[in-house]
Amino acid sequence: TQTQKLEPFVKDFYIEPEEIKNMSETEIDELRLGLDNVKIKGQGCPRPIVKWSQLGLTTDIMDLITKEFAFVSPTPIQAQAIPAIMAGRDVIGISKTGSGKTVSFLLPLLRQIKALRPLTSGETGPMGLILAPTRELAVQIHEETEKFLNPVSKLRSICCTGGSELKQQIKELKKGVEIVVATPGRFIDLLTLNSGKLLNTERVTFVVMDEADRLFDLGFEPQITEIMKTIRPDKQCVLFSATFPTKLKSFASRILDRPISITINSKSLINENIEQQLRIYDNDESKFEGLLDILRKQTQMSSDDERDEKIIVFLSSQQICDLIYYRLQEQNYTTYAIHAGKPYNERASSLEKFKNTKNGILLCTEVLSRGLNVPEVSLVIIYNAVKTFAQYVHTTGRTARGDKHGTAVTLLLSDELAASYILNKSLRDTEIELLDEGTIEKLKAMANKFDSGMKTGKYRLTKGFGGKGLEHMEKLNDEKH
Ligand code: ADP
Ligand code: MG
């Protein structure tokens, strides 16, 4: 068959770095949550990376990215899509506008092309084909491509769109070109010129469909199908889009081979009915004062009317739970406490009393609160900062049950960096705006410190739900719905 005659080429260039290989599944789950909740479908997706140096790029490309463009770290789509594409897989990348999709396909494309046998004098190329829906987008992608080509490589690229000068395009094409950025219509025109002597797809091994939703909306499906028929079946093909409507899905499944789909979930991790708040303290004593302040305000508010507004306070250990229980008792607060150090009967009866007490306050450790469903809980106070995204989602989720609304306040000590990182990613812009200047500044500084520490391996997000972080969390979410 035809396939047997095709010149072999390499697709898989990715070597997973040791530091990524050594991470546990839970850590990877946490990492993906931190990358704007990236979701994967399909088998065998490589783990995401956290820094550019983990991609095995050549020094010239590394210098361009980190020095010339000063891209500090990969964006979430880049962190997950680049390893997947560099591993040779067909990929569907869904991520909002402005999230860095271009670099996500350009780097693997260039890596592959550099390893291919160069064009001979009889060949005009291209090897890489990038399809875009409009002239403007094609021009933009071409400009971005040129930035990567010049001055570090001998590779040539050309932009072919309907609106631009055909004669000029033909002249350039005759000299040979490794990368073509084109609108589908113009590309077909060029293919048919001189019955394929000017341009053909014999050497094409990498195809990008960018802004695929618009390619589809503009009715380019037949043209793309036609182009694909001329390209070798074992090509690598990737598709990027801001949205992924159903009709595009079926199109993609026809064009791509066992694709990995990567979706950056711009939707917040935290239930939208939960208002997240944050206070930062320098020491335990001022934090306890902060707790009293919150309880005072809440009990004043709820004693005004007939509402039942219960509170859960999360503590990290039995010892702290007992300590806060006594200290609140000193302040004349009646609270109920449950933790693993108490016998089951006592825990059950405390929980029952809490449920039956209007505006009741429950102190508990995170472990004991799993699956807890008390609809009247309108305030969650996280007294000891969470260590993982999974934990944060779980603890905040004890309020806003069903379609109710609730508030989750974290009381953070200024050295609790992991939690600052989690909160900085979880708080919505509108919630951050409600914080005072000082708190915002501290939060950002702490989160940045943790972020850099993660990159050097000094800090990591770990202890989740005993190694079953996400799985468990998703079960909890299902329970809720
Ligand atoms: P999209 O295709 O997702 O809409 P682009 O690829 O056009 O987004 O990128 C948007 C902007 O972000 C561009 O100006 C690009 O140079 C810049 N950019 C890309 N990657 C990074 C990065 N890792 N860090 C900072 N800026 C980046
Ligand atoms: Mg784009």
Side-chain angles (χ1 to χ4, degrees):
T1 67
Q2 198 197 1
T3 320
Q4 282 163 336
K5 279 183 282 171
L6 294 171
E7 186 173 340
F9 72 101
V10 183
K11 278 187 197 175
D12 181 2
F13 297 93
Y14 185 60
I15 299 166
E16 188 171 73
E18 281 302 312
E19 62 216 84
I20 298 289
K21 202 176 285 174
N22 290 336
M23 290 170 88
S24 68
E25 279 302 320
T26 315
E27 282 178 272
I28 296 297
D29 286 346
E30 280 292 319
L31 185 59
R32 288 197 169 122
L33 285 167
L35 293 168
D36 293 353
N37 197 10
V38 50
K39 292 269 197 275
I40 314 293
K41 278 192 197 135
Q43 294 298 306
C45 183
R47 295 172 158 200
I49 50 125
V50 296
K51 48 186 179 185
W52 296 115
S53 61
Q54 291 164 334
L55 288 171
L57 302 168
T58 50
T59 359
D60 48 4
I61 295 276
M62 273 299 276
D63 282 350
L64 265 180
I65 293 175
T66 58
K67 294 182 185 142
E68 179 90 12
F69 309 150
F71 292 167
V72 179
S73 43
T75 64
I77 186 71
Q78 291 163 357
Q80 182 61 82
I82 299 178
I85 305 174
M86 286 237 283
R89 297 292 303 267
D90 279 11
V91 164
I92 297 169
I94 311 298
S95 180
K96 64 172 190 260
T97 306
S99 58
K101 294 190 286 293
T102 320
V103 170
S104 307
F105 59 75
L106 274 185
L107 292 182
L109 169 77
L110 292 173
R111 183 70 192 81
Q112 194 195 98
I113 293 180
K114 279 182 186 171
L116 291 170
R117 174 179 65 74
L119 294 174
T120 59
S121 54
E123 293 173 323
T124 52
M127 297 149 157
L129 170 64
I130 303 172
L131 295 171
T134 63
R135 180 183 183 189
E136 287 69 27
L137 283 163
V139 168
Q140 203 180 300
I141 298 164
H142 180 246
E143 280 169 3
E144 192 96 0
T145 310
E146 289 281 298
K147 283 191 219 158
F148 278 95
L149 295 186
N150 297 323
V152 297
S153 85
K154 292 190 207 74
L155 303 178
R156 296 151 293 183
S157 80
I158 179 175
C159 184
C160 303
T161 67
S164 44
E165 192 63 49
L166 185 63
K167 267 194 193 140
Q168 183 61 30
Q169 284 172 21
I170 293 172
K171 211 174 116 199
E172 295 247 354
L173 284 168
K174 274 183 181 156
K175 292 187 239 162
V177 61
E178 284 78 11
I179 299 168
V180 167
V181 187
T183 47
R186 176 52 66 100
F187 190 71
I188 288 190
D189 291 346
L190 291 167
L191 279 182
T192 47
L193 270 180
N194 279 351
S195 54
K197 283 202 191 71
L198 174 68
L199 183 85
N200 61 63
T201 54
E202 258 165 41
R203 293 287 320 261
V204 174
T205 52
F206 196 114
V207 181
V208 180
M209 286 173 278
D210 195 21
E211 306 257 359
D213 48 358
R214 297 193 60 198
L215 275 171
F216 199 90
D217 284 342
L218 294 173
F220 283 124
E221 187 188 353
Q223 277 101 321
I224 294 171
T225 309
E226 199 179 325
I227 294 168
M228 292 298 176
K229 272 189 218 150
T230 71
I231 302 175
R232 57 192 289 168
D234 59 348
K235 68 190 170 295
Q236 186 172 10
C237 193
V238 301
L239 178 156
F240 281 85
S241 187
T243 65
F244 199 44
T246 317
K247 49 192 169 110
L248 183 57
K249 274 180 200 151
S250 59
F251 175 59
S253 67
R254 260 176 287 136
I255 303 276
L256 305 181
D257 177 29
R258 286 167 299 125
I260 291 170
S261 92
I262 297 168
T263 308
I264 306 301
N265 203 346
S266 48
K267 232 173 65 181
S268 168
L269 260 181
I270 302 301
N271 180 338
E272 44 191 74
N273 290 337
I274 301 173
E275 185 195 325
Q276 305 169 78
Q277 293 178 5
L278 166 70
R279 299 183 178 203
I280 303 178
Y281 302 95
D282 288 328
N283 56 60
D284 279 312
E285 215 35 56
S286 52
K287 187 167 82 167
F288 183 71
E289 288 300 322
L291 174 65
L292 291 179
D293 181 50
I294 293 170
L295 292 179
R296 217 177 291 127
K297 282 181 182 149
Q298 177 81 3
T299 42
Q300 259 166 23
M301 235 170 53
S302 45
S303 61
D304 286 349
D305 56 29
E306 289 301 295
R307 282 181 298 181
D308 182 5
E309 312 234 318
K310 297 189 203 300
I311 304 172
I312 297 183
V313 185
F314 280 103
L315 297 312
S316 59
S317 70
Q318 298 175 21
Q319 289 76 10
I320 299 176
C321 202
D322 288 335
L323 176 75
I324 300 298
Y325 178 83
Y326 290 114
R327 292 201 64 184
L328 286 177
Q329 208 167 37
E330 281 171 6
Q331 303 285 331
N332 298 318
Y333 282 104
T334 308
T335 67
Y336 305 97
I338 53 174
H339 60 63
K342 293 181 186 279
Y344 175 76
N345 287 344
E346 196 183 323
R347 279 170 5 211
S349 102
S350 294
L351 191 57
E352 214 41 48
K353 283 183 200 149
F354 167 64
K355 285 181 179 170
N356 295 327
T357 306
K358 211 175 137 227
N359 303 324
I361 303 172
L362 180 75
L363 309 184
C364 71
T365 54
E366 183 234 325
V367 182
L368 259 282
S369 76
R370 289 181 197 175
L372 200 68
N373 188 6
V374 183
E376 296 81 18
V377 174
S378 65
L379 176 65
V380 160
I381 301 173
I382 300 170
Y383 191 76
N384 296 112
V386 297
K387 294 187 168 58
T388 63
F389 279 101
Q391 215 182 2
Y392 187 60
V393 171
H394 174 64
T395 46
T396 55
R398 295 309 99 203
T399 186
R401 310 297 297 174
D403 52 8
K404 291 192 160 63
H405 287 251
T407 304
V409 195
T410 294
L411 308 187
L412 195 64
L413 288 175
S414 45
D415 60 356
E416 288 171 321
L417 299 186
S420 75
Y421 175 81
I422 292 164
L423 281 154
N424 187 42
K425 282 192 178 284
S426 302
L427 285 159
R428 302 170 185 98
D429 291 346
T430 50
E431 291 165 333
I432 291 186
E433 276 164 26
L434 290 176
L435 303 173
D436 60 84
E437 282 298 321
T439 307
I440 298 175
E441 235 167 75
K442 273 188 203 159
L443 175 70
K444 298 284 173 194
M446 290 162 70
N448 282 340
K449 193 170 168 192
F450 189 81
D451 194 27
S452 332
M454 275 213 312
K455 280 168 188 144
T456 61
K458 184 176 174 191
Y459 301 128
R460 60 213 302 201
L461 292 168
T462 43
K463 223 177 110 247
F465 288 102
K468 305 186 286 189
L470 258 188
E471 206 184 301
H472 185 75
M473 206 176 83
E474 243 133 45
K475 243 183 31 222
L476 289 168
N477 276 337
D478 291 345
E479 252 168 50
K480 210 176 63 195
H481 295 299

